[in-house]
Amino acid sequence: MARRSEGAPGGAGMVTRPVAADWLTLRRAADHRAREASAPLLADLAPALAAEGRVVQVVDVGAGTGSNLAWLASRLPFAQRWVLVDHDAALIDAVDADIPREVVEVTRRVATLGELGEVVSGAESAFITCAALLDLLTPEDAAVLTDAIVRAGGVALLSLSVTGEVAIDPSHPGDAAITDAFDAHQRRDGILGPDAAAHMADLLRGSGCRVDVVETPWQLAATGEAPLVRRYLADRAAAAVEHDAALATLAAEWLAARESDVDAGALTVRVGHADIRCLPGAAATGADSGTTAP
């Protein structure tokens, strides 16, 4: 599945500019730190998968360079057989995650989301997971993913979907204009963008699944993560200009000011993300237990 950074300009949906492997490497530590907030969601996976005494097939959709495998595999208390699925062979060929003892096999599959049903067919059940993918999907893509999850047994962990919440400190007069243009860029050509987590959660609940959503924001500080912060800010400005070329001068001024803040070690960024756990069975009446809506 094609990927891009949260701010990187690109074309429509999942079949456009794949993000470079260096961006996935740059963001990996921030992703893993953010996901610690969703670690409690792992507790009920083994019973739902009837994992005792068998090897569970884990299908990582849009696997990229293996960040999801690196964070998740050692935290699952059962034997696993991972299938890394991505349409970009160059990314999954670059997977560099250490393989923990719980993983008995890792295979790579170059495939699109439309082929996911074929990937999971023949398995008694499968645990479907992804990271930083949902916001790249269209509503039609999300329906395909939902159908695959339900057909595979209804157990999934869908992580690090952007929610649209961004807080940059200190503030700048250009923040609102950059944010509005960036959010519009994220929703271009029908892509779900920051609406993805809520949309996907609704689809899964509508399919009779039990869904929990947990906030997993990036918390970035210029003092310790300057390369990632600089890249994020530059991509954010570029996306805003790609959406509205009239913002070019403002975006350049905004980015220069933000880079000065980074140089001074005086900038922090919070980028909202959400993780979704899906389990089989009817959802509770009203808000699901333990759920925080994105």
Side-chain angles (χ1 to χ4, degrees):
M1 290 63 187
R3 290 166 171 269
R4 68 188 191 284
S5 66
E6 267 77 2
M14 299 174 60
V15 294
T16 58
R17 306 178 198 174
V19 69
D22 70 320
W23 167 252
L24 299 180
T25 299
L26 190 61
R27 64 175 286 171
R28 182 173 289 199
D31 285 345
H32 289 191
R33 187 170 62 249
R35 292 186 69 178
E36 290 300 330
S38 70
L41 297 182
L42 306 181
D44 296 328
L45 294 178
L49 290 161
E52 186 174 355
R54 73 180 189 92
V55 179
V56 174
Q57 177 172 282
V58 181
V59 179
D60 187 7
V61 186
T65 56
S67 180
N68 198 15
L69 169 65
W71 186 86
L72 183 57
S74 63
R75 291 170 169 80
L76 298 176
F78 46 79
Q80 306 147 45
R81 179 180 294 107
W82 279 69
V83 182
L84 306 180
V85 182
D86 204 294
H87 95 290
D88 189 335
L91 288 182
I92 55 175
D93 284 347
V95 169
D96 60 357
D98 292 331
I99 307 302
R101 60 180 178 82
E102 292 88 354
V103 177
V104 301
E105 183 182 14
V106 176
T107 60
R108 295 164 172 80
R109 176 75 179 267
V110 178
T112 65
L113 184 60
E115 298 169 290
L116 185 57
E118 178 185 332
V119 173
V120 301
S121 66
E124 179 182 346
S125 65
F127 170 39
I128 295 180
T129 183
C130 68
L133 177 70
L134 296 186
D135 47 286
L136 303 178
L137 305 184
T138 64
E140 293 77 17
D141 294 328
V144 170
L145 180 56
T146 298
D147 183 67
I149 290 169
V150 172
R151 289 177 179 274
V155 184
L157 182 67
L158 314 174
S159 299
L160 294 172
S161 298
V162 295
T163 64
E165 177 211 0
V166 175
I168 304 176
D169 186 42
S171 62
H172 183 278
D175 285 346
I178 296 296
T179 293
D180 289 346
F182 177 82
D183 286 348
H185 182 271
Q186 292 290 87
R187 295 184 174 100
R188 69 202 180 282
D189 299 317
I191 299 172
L192 288 166
D195 305 317
H199 183 87
M200 192 73 193
D202 286 345
L203 286 179
L204 291 167
R205 291 186 184 107
S207 297
C209 297
R210 180 159 58 93
V211 174
D212 297 286
V213 183
V214 170
E215 294 181 358
T216 51
W218 277 358
Q219 303 276 11
L220 308 179
T223 51
E225 296 159 302
L228 176 59
V229 172
R230 290 182 193 278
R231 177 74 169 268
Y232 175 77
L233 295 171
D235 284 354
R236 189 169 179 83
V241 173
E242 185 169 292
H243 174 72
D244 183 357
L247 292 175
T249 299
L250 174 63
E253 294 172 350
W254 178 87
L255 184 57
R258 289 315 193 180
E259 288 178 339
S260 294
D261 292 335
V262 174
D263 290 340
L267 186 139
T268 60
V269 184
R270 176 185 166 98
V271 182
H273 294 86
D275 284 19
I276 299 171
R277 181 186 63 184
C278 176
L279 297 173
T285 302
D288 293 327
S289 176
T291 297
T292 301

